[in-house]
Amino acid sequence: MPTCPSCCATPPNAPTAGRRPPWTGRLTTLVKKRPSRKNTLIADPARYIHSLGPTTCGATHDYQLLKNELDLNPGLVDLFTWLADLGYLGLVRDYDVAAQSLPHRKPRRSKKAPAAALTGTQRADNRAHARRRVKVEHAISGAKRLGCVTQAYRNKSLACNDRVVVLACGIWNWHLTKKKKAI
């Protein structure tokens, strides 16, 4: 093993003789985990953001956030046509929403159906649903153009957190209106 003559007798990453490095029992990650935050957002196919729910911690499930929002504003159900992902599976059952608002789930494998898969029409429906839903994803990414929304939030005030997300959505909506006037 070559040594580094200028600084030390053994390289710094070489194991010491007869010893193994201590094992901590867990894998380390390169990125420090930070608390995340979440909002419910309602956008139209033109990517305009119409409704923004309150900011909550990232551990809260998406459908629970939506249920809390719809309990406060029950008129939102009838106001929009819904396009949701599979995180909102109870939407059709709990509210009077069309079944086409959710994509088809892949069936579970079992002994009777070991190669369970979606049919061709279900896959085509899911593709069409994804083509319509991508506009909402573009609205979400448009609101995240304001850098402080995606970066780690170090402020302790939740009211300021709500203001930051509302400001980001407002800037995105202003951008969309200016874009229409310029064309």
Side-chain angles (χ1 to χ4, degrees):
M1 179 184 325
T3 59
C4 177
S6 64
C7 59
C8 58
T10 59
N13 57 356
T16 55
R19 288 177 146 179
R20 290 178 28 193
W23 173 251
T24 60
R26 63 177 185 245
L27 298 174
T28 57
T29 58
L30 299 176
V31 178
K32 185 175 179 181
K33 292 184 180 180
R34 300 194 186 270
S36 59
R37 54 190 197 253
K38 231 185 236 190
N39 294 82
T40 306
L41 183 123
I42 298 175
D44 63 4
R47 302 178 319 230
Y48 192 85
I49 298 172
H50 291 280
S51 174
L52 180 71
T55 304
T56 58
C57 70
T60 310
H61 196 273
D62 293 343
Y63 185 56
Q64 184 63 41
L65 283 175
L66 182 68
K67 285 196 320 190
N68 294 342
E69 182 71 19
L70 291 178
D71 288 344
L72 295 175
N73 302 322
L76 288 176
V77 176
D78 302 328
L79 200 57
F80 299 103
T81 1
W82 292 85
L83 288 175
D85 56 8
L86 286 176
Y88 299 94
L89 278 177
L91 189 65
V92 175
R93 182 187 67 236
D94 293 343
Y95 302 98
D96 293 329
V97 176
Q100 293 83 14
S101 62
L102 290 174
H104 297 284
R105 274 181 78 183
K106 182 179 175 184
R108 288 190 178 196
R109 290 188 307 160
S110 65
K111 290 183 180 178
K112 292 180 181 177
L118 294 173
T119 63
T121 57
Q122 288 175 333
R123 289 177 61 207
D125 289 344
N126 281 355
R127 267 191 238 109
H129 184 272
R131 277 191 214 104
R132 289 180 305 206
R133 181 154 163 65
V134 75
K135 308 276 183 165
V136 177
E137 298 296 334
H138 288 172
I140 294 169
S141 65
K144 289 182 180 179
R145 287 172 65 179
L146 187 64
C148 60
V149 175
T150 58
Q151 294 169 358
Y153 182 69
R154 294 183 179 93
N155 197 345
K156 303 296 183 206
S157 169
L158 289 178
C160 185
N161 192 6
D162 277 338
R163 286 186 200 125
V164 166
V165 178
V166 167
L167 180 68
C169 291
I171 289 173
W172 172 247
N173 286 344
W174 177 77
H175 167 75
L176 289 177
T177 57
K178 288 296 180 182
K179 191 175 177 182
K180 284 182 182 177
K181 288 180 182 177
I183 294 177

